Amino acid sequence: MTDIKMAQTPPTPTEAARTLVARMSDKSPEAVGMSDVMELIEVTPDKPPAPVAPVVLAHRKRLEIERDALRTGAAELALRSARGDKIAQTELAAIPVRQAALQFEIDLNHDAHDLAVQQDAAAEVAWRASLQSMDPEVLIEGIGRDRCCNRCMPGLSCVITAGYPYAAATCGHPVREKQTIFGRDANGNRQFLYAQNPQAARVFEAARKKLNVPTR
């Protein structure tokens, strides 16, 4: 069978980790060293980085409230200005400038939100990949015969199969998915579906041994 070649090669765990480190610091991905990557791996959380997109939306809401509030009391300032109040004239003159600045940022906030969504997605991909640099026994912490690993996100990502770039959300639980995650080798022994991928095979083997799942 001819392998189908993909247009883009997924990043290796180390490359993805470097990208995530760069996002979390002031360094460029090229300037991130292995010591930075190892430091990240040691503190890799069980959940992906907090998304920035919701923060951008919340900021837009605050800007809109401030913009709309500028008109509150403007009529009173205009009346005082008409009566020759110099302070009111100064405050009134500042309103259009501030209002224009707020509207300018509000308009840009839409593009900023789109950018944040893209960066959030990239950070989550990098986080998932960085998990694969962990020791397999640590990576599968929490796995039980009827429950997934702590770091799995059912329906989104499985840490057991994630080492294989094209596994998508395929669950590799040796017990719960035994009808679909095993194939047969030339000798008739049961074989992990992604056994050809070293990283996925290592993590699966750790899970299989922990759950005492036989290979025959």
Side-chain angles (χ1 to χ4, degrees), residues 99-117:
Q99 193 170 42
L102 287 169
Q103 188 60 53
F104 180 71
E105 186 174 356
I106 289 170
D107 292 341
L108 282 179
N109 185 274
H110 294 275
D111 292 334
H113 180 259
D114 290 342
L115 181 58
V117 169

Side-chain angles (χ1 to χ4, degrees), residues 63-201:
L63 293 174
E64 290 172 341
I65 291 174
E66 183 180 352
R67 177 200 61 191
D68 296 341
L70 286 175
R71 295 191 65 86
T72 303
E76 177 65 25
L77 284 175
L79 177 59
R80 288 167 49 197
S81 175
R83 291 174 173 172
D85 188 325
K86 299 299 182 181
I87 295 178
Q89 290 175 5
T90 300
E91 292 178 359
L92 191 63
I95 289 179
V97 176
R98 180 56 181 161
Q99 193 170 42
L102 287 169
Q103 188 60 53
F104 180 71
E105 186 174 356
I106 289 170
D107 292 341
L108 282 179
N109 185 274
H110 294 275
D111 292 334
H113 180 259
D114 290 342
L115 181 58
V117 169
Q118 295 173 19
Q119 292 183 349
D120 286 345
E124 185 170 337
V125 169
W127 170 78
R128 293 188 196 284
S130 72
L131 293 178
Q132 295 301 313
S133 297
M134 300 174 71
D135 184 271
E137 284 71 22
V138 176
L139 183 57
I140 63 169
E141 284 179 347
I143 193 172
R145 297 187 72 83
D146 61 351
R147 69 187 301 270
C148 292
C149 311
N150 292 338
R151 294 178 177 84
C152 285
M153 300 181 73
L156 295 175
S157 178
C158 170
V159 298
I160 296 175
T161 62
Y164 180 64
Y166 307 114
T170 302
C171 179
H173 197 290
V175 176
R176 293 170 53 176
E177 301 298 327
K178 62 182 180 181
Q179 301 301 325
T180 58
I181 205 62
F182 283 105
R184 294 285 177 178
D185 63 16
N187 298 319
N189 295 323
R190 291 202 301 177
Q191 184 180 58
F192 175 47
L193 187 62
Y194 303 131
Q196 77 279 11
N197 180 271
Q199 174 60 19

